Amino acid sequence: MSYHSIVMVKQVPDTANISGQVMKPDGTVNRSKLPTIFNPEDKVALELALQLRDRYGGTVRVMTMGPLKASDLLRDCLYMGADEAILISDRKFAGADTLATSYVLSEALRQLAPYDIVFAGRQAIDGDTAQVGPQTAEKLGLPQITYAEAILQADGGKITVKRKVDRGFEILEGTLPLLITVIKDAATPRPFMAKRVMAYKNAHTLLELEKMIEGNSLLYLDQLKDEYVSKGLFIPTLTADELDVDSERCGLGGSPTKVHKIESVILGGGAHEIIPPTKDGMHALIDKLMEDHIFG
């Protein structure tokens, strides 16, 4: 039996360089101030979906919610091996927290059904909430397995997953369709394939095609779109109107989470004691650790 997967991916700011200076007054990140990267755990989730397809057959589609620039991320997914990419983009979605994001993603998944498995990274590095995957599953009424580190077996309408827990792991069996969130240690993402880079480097969304014909009277949008669709290079875009979503549940207005402020935390050293590298020094250290109940 083959399996059809959808992977939720996200283009995120490189939080290694984040500071209070990149925050907007409304508490959202000014993404233009930071370089963007493929969210690491989403990339691992895509790798697990590709491994499942390689093993059993089927398809892998990817989708992301973001601005036009997020099409760069979708091309990266095609370079890795995804069969299809979908952009979810609308100004009404800007500034969304996890609740508003999961609402839009769940409505997009309803439109993209049927599918067997929805994959997502455990969390995004720009928020670290680990909420979007579970919230999306809840809105769709899907069973979910979180913190997955391996897919052990798929058999008909069921899948067996190894899940990481504190001080160990669990082996869980889920009934399809279901949603799986993936941890970063689950797999090593495969590199881009040169043939796919050459094939999909010119894959574009409708907005990118519109920019392409600006100032060129010899190009017509409908003809250009048909050409890209026929070549498999068209990345469809789902907007608020196409998803028929409730605008009051989208974007900043539909987001009850508000960021008050962000501060840079600097860790400083406190009092310390030098332990001499002698037998008496080691005994003294052990006595101190036992006295503080660190061990023993």
Side-chain angles (χ1 to χ4, degrees):
M1 180 177 177
S2 60
Y3 297 92
H4 301 287
S5 303
I6 298 178
V7 187
M8 300 193 298
V9 298
K10 186 179 183 183
Q11 188 179 59
V12 294
D14 186 354
T15 53
N17 301 307
I18 200 165
S19 68
Q21 283 68 47
V22 301
M23 299 303 297
K24 297 179 183 178
D26 61 7
T28 60
V29 176
N30 186 350
R31 295 175 183 270
S32 65
K33 297 289 186 180
L34 288 172
T36 55
I37 60 174
F38 198 140
N39 184 56
E41 290 185 332
D42 293 347
K43 198 171 188 179
V44 177
L46 174 57
E47 175 60 29
L48 280 195
L50 293 171
Q51 290 181 10
L52 185 73
R53 185 197 62 189
D54 294 344
R55 184 176 175 184
Y56 296 101
T59 59
V60 174
R61 291 179 286 172
V62 294
M63 69 178 200
T64 190
M65 188 177 98
L68 178 60
K69 184 175 173 55
S71 56
D72 293 336
L73 170 66
L74 295 176
R75 280 185 283 271
D76 287 350
C77 295
L78 293 170
Y79 300 158
M80 280 182 64
D83 298 294
E84 184 183 353
I86 300 102
L87 176 64
I88 304 165
S89 187
D90 198 298
R91 291 184 180 274
K92 294 178 181 178
F93 302 154
D97 68 357
T98 61
L99 191 68
T101 297
S102 61
Y103 167 63
V104 174
L105 292 176
S106 65
E107 292 303 307
L109 286 166
R110 292 184 201 279
Q111 191 166 123
L112 295 173
Y115 48 79
D116 299 302
I117 305 167
V118 177
F119 285 93
R122 172 182 61 103
Q123 64 183 29
I125 62 172
D126 59 347
D128 289 344
T129 63
Q131 294 174 353
V132 171
Q135 286 179 351
T136 303
E138 183 68 19
K139 288 178 173 64
L140 292 168
L142 291 177
Q144 58 183 288
I145 298 176
T146 57
Y147 291 75
E149 60 180 3
I151 296 176
L152 303 181
Q153 184 179 2
D155 184 14
K158 295 184 178 180
I159 191 167
T160 305
V161 176
K162 181 181 179 182
R163 176 180 185 266
K164 184 178 181 180
V165 296
D166 290 340
R167 294 191 291 270
F169 62 88
E170 297 175 338
I171 304 296
L172 300 179
E173 184 179 79
T175 301
L176 303 180
L178 88 170
L179 183 144
I180 297 174
T181 69
V182 178
I183 62 173
K184 64 180 180 180
D185 297 326
T188 300
R190 64 192 66 188
F192 297 162
M193 291 177 271
K195 288 185 178 180
R196 294 188 69 89
V197 172
M198 296 303 295
Y200 290 105
K201 65 181 181 180
N202 292 320
H204 292 306
T205 63
L206 184 63
L207 286 175
E208 288 176 318
L209 295 182
E210 289 176 352
K211 289 182 177 294
M212 191 182 300
I213 66 172
E214 287 180 0
N216 191 334
S217 59
L218 299 178
L219 291 176
Y220 297 92
L221 184 59
D222 290 342
Q223 293 178 354
L224 194 60
K225 177 184 174 183
D226 290 343
E227 178 185 344
Y228 272 70
V229 170
S230 67
K231 293 180 179 179
L233 296 176
F234 183 68
I235 299 175
T237 303
L238 297 177
T239 65
D241 290 339
E242 288 166 321
L243 292 175
D244 194 24
V245 293
D246 180 355
S247 60
E248 292 186 358
R249 298 178 63 183
C250 300
L252 193 61
S255 301
T257 307
K258 307 298 179 187
V259 177
H260 176 58
K261 67 178 178 177
I262 286 185
E263 296 182 15
S264 297
V265 178
I266 300 175
L267 300 178
H272 66 281
E273 180 180 349
I274 298 176
I275 305 296
T278 63
K279 185 175 181 179
D280 289 341
M282 293 303 102
H283 283 309
L285 174 61
I286 292 170
D287 290 342
K288 180 62 175 174
L289 293 174
M290 293 182 69
E291 179 184 333
D292 293 339
H293 301 289
I294 295 175
F295 68 78

